[in-house]
Amino acid sequence: MAVSITSPEAPEAVEKASPIVMGEDWRLFKPCFDDDGTTYATLCGIANLPREAAIAELSRFSQDIKDETVNSLKAKVSSTLLRDLLNMGWDVRASMHHIYVRPGQPLDPAERKSLIRQQLLFGRNDQLCEESNRRFLFGVERPSKYSSCKPMTDLIADGRRLAEQLRPVAAAPKEERPELLARICQPYLQLVSEERDEFTNQRLIDIWRYFRHSWSTRYRSSPGRNLFYLVRDAAQPNHPVMGIAGLGNTVMQLTPRDAELGWTLSGLLDACSRGVVSETEVLRAFRLRLEDDFEQIYREDLPVDRRIDHSVDDETVAKKFEELTPQRLQELTKTPLYRAKRARAAREILRAYRTIATWPCGLHDLAATDHGAWALNTVLKQLKKRHSATSMMELTVCGAVAPYNHLLAGKLVCLMMASPRVVNDYTDRYGGMVSVIASQMAGRPITKEPHLAFLGTTSLYTDRSSQYNRVKLPYGKVEGQRAEIEFRQIGRTEGFGSPNLSVETEQGLAQIAEVVSGFRNVNFVFGEGQSPKLRLLREGFAALGLNQTNLLQHGSQSRPRKSEHGVKWTGCSDGRG
């Protein structure tokens, strides 16, 4: 007998005679407990309650668990996880023996947006309840009388004053409006740093953080490359903040974008079929890419020639490396891990180079063979790694601040992120920097000169995004602009990613993963790997015995968009990046 949670007003659960239909995207929620089934039966009973009652009871159940055994920790984390899913609007069904969950599935676009916003706000509001964030917000809004800082609210424009100034502009003839508007609103970009604001004496990074907390998404710092911006209005008192933006490391795995850029085998073949690039250009560029990558590997202690050659047998690299003893490895290098990485990388490059360099036919024929497809995918992986580290950034934050959000300032921020100023800031900050990982692979300092050519972003909501629509900068409008710049939608994601769980649940998942495995595998440090939060959730779900896909497939398909700075196609037109 299935039981469905209906609404907060329902006095009791409504039983349905029909069994749960798994074809309706219901996913089994069954953590593994080391007991006689009592814990899971308790969760099933709580899940039978109406939504609000179930949320309250799950919170009470988790708080009542005081002992620190592994089974008690699993019970506590499972209860807070189920509570979070209910808070985020997931549907829950419970039978006498099982619990099933699924993301909410409203058909109306407005309801879909409302549900996604509910999920996002749950994570944001949970973060704002943390004592450290409350102290920060209170401190910048109400500085002490001994502080040299003025309240952060001084940087919020007076909406009534702005409206009074705009009324005569709206009544003026259309040809006069640009000049009148220029007197009222004068936006400019300000790169965020540790410096202090000239009007409030607040740190610029604190100003950015303050307004970032007003977003509907939780604020998370991320390792790697970052550029933060304030968009301010020089025509108003104190130069109030109009909007904020943030650039971060690009997402490594985004299928619609990779296909658009020719970084998937199917996307590459499609680009060749459309005449964007010829097969001869691709094969030549791929050979150059492999040669360059081979040169950036320290090979003095590897059994390979100094120059890459398609006649070299890549199997010798692996065979001779396996014969080395740990003592011999210590004599050859201080970091055996990187020697192993270099050996594997050299072997892959040699194998791919031999396959491509000796192939007598065209690209499509090569891709039709197993070894040819492997070789091409290997080079595409190298291309993605190179360009994502030097030429691409993700627009992680982009939007307007009240009252400018009523004046389409969100579109203005989008447009300003595509300006030459951002490209120059990116070059100034990261030019000449030594790549740590590449240098350890090469045995000498390796610098990868930055050249920002691509901005990517994904919409928060599944349906059409008005902020990025028709955002375009025609050629020649800005000094130094070499081509038309626009944001263009390139597809839909599959709705797979990290759910917005509470801090309590995320910390519990990290703890249970560490307890079960015996070590902490995710430490949120640079060089450890992509998507640390996603990896941490995966490990926590696995430690609970849950199917990871059931909880990571949230179903909210976002719309990736791109802005290219003068680059029409960046698949492999330049083999050396």
Side-chain angles (χ1 to χ4, degrees), residues 103-166:
Q105 300 176 327
L107 298 178
D108 181 68
E111 292 181 4
R112 282 198 298 269
K113 184 174 183 177
S114 177
L115 180 61
I116 295 172
R117 186 172 178 81
Q118 176 185 344
Q119 297 174 6
L120 297 173
L121 287 175
F122 170 73
R124 194 280 304 269
N125 293 339
D126 178 75
Q127 183 182 50
L128 292 181
C129 289
E130 296 177 23
E131 184 60 29
S132 60
N133 290 319
R134 294 170 67 89
R135 284 198 306 268
F136 167 76
L137 295 173
F138 185 87
V140 297
E141 288 182 344
R142 301 172 180 84
S144 71
K145 61 181 181 179
Y146 304 107
S147 173
S148 60
C149 298
K150 294 182 180 179
M152 191 74 77
T153 49
D154 285 1
L155 297 178
I156 300 176
D158 186 337
R160 289 170 295 185
R161 181 177 188 272
L162 195 58
E164 291 176 0
Q165 292 176 326
L166 287 172

Side-chain angles (χ1 to χ4, degrees), residues 118-235:
Q118 176 185 344
Q119 297 174 6
L120 297 173
L121 287 175
F122 170 73
R124 194 280 304 269
N125 293 339
D126 178 75
Q127 183 182 50
L128 292 181
C129 289
E130 296 177 23
E131 184 60 29
S132 60
N133 290 319
R134 294 170 67 89
R135 284 198 306 268
F136 167 76
L137 295 173
F138 185 87
V140 297
E141 288 182 344
R142 301 172 180 84
S144 71
K145 61 181 181 179
Y146 304 107
S147 173
S148 60
C149 298
K150 294 182 180 179
M152 191 74 77
T153 49
D154 285 1
L155 297 178
I156 300 176
D158 186 337
R160 289 170 295 185
R161 181 177 188 272
L162 195 58
E164 291 176 0
Q165 292 176 326
L166 287 172
R167 288 192 185 99
V169 178
K174 189 174 181 179
E175 60 274 10
E176 298 178 8
R177 292 176 187 174
E179 182 179 352
L180 295 175
L181 283 171
R183 301 172 187 170
I184 299 172
C185 183
Q186 299 172 11
Y188 67 93
L189 273 178
Q190 186 173 31
L191 181 63
V192 171
S193 66
E194 294 288 337
E195 296 179 0
R196 292 190 175 269
D197 174 49
E198 63 175 302
F199 301 100
T200 62
N201 204 38
Q202 299 273 7
R203 293 192 312 160
L204 294 179
I205 187 62
D206 288 339
I207 296 174
W208 192 91
R209 177 187 172 189
Y210 175 80
F211 286 102
R212 174 62 180 83
H213 277 306
S214 68
W215 254 235
S216 59
T217 57
R218 178 184 296 171
Y219 170 45
R220 295 181 185 274
S221 59
S222 58
R225 298 168 297 153
N226 288 285
L227 287 175
F228 299 141
Y229 285 96
L230 300 171
V231 177
R232 305 184 66 169
D233 187 355

Side-chain angles (χ1 to χ4, degrees), residues 383-401:
L383 279 168
K384 182 196 291 191
K385 192 159 48 173
R386 169 57 65 92
H387 285 293
S388 63
T390 58
S391 306
M392 304 175 68
M393 291 286 277
E394 194 77 7
L395 196 53
T396 57
V397 178
C398 182
V401 170

Side-chain angles (χ1 to χ4, degrees), residues 507-565:
Q507 291 176 346
L509 288 169
Q511 186 178 0
I512 193 65
E514 183 175 352
V515 169
V516 171
S517 64
F519 59 91
R520 184 174 180 176
N521 194 37
V522 181
N523 299 283
F524 292 85
V525 295
F526 178 73
E528 187 180 55
Q530 289 287 326
S531 306
K533 180 193 171 186
L534 184 61
R535 290 187 287 115
L536 181 61
L537 294 180
R538 283 181 179 276
E539 294 193 1
F541 294 152
L544 288 176
L546 295 171
N547 185 314
Q548 303 169 25
T549 303
N550 286 349
L551 298 172
L552 296 176
Q553 186 75 38
H554 51 68
S556 298
Q557 296 180 324
S558 57
R559 295 169 178 261
R561 292 175 181 271
K562 68 172 184 175
S563 171
E564 296 177 346
H565 293 252

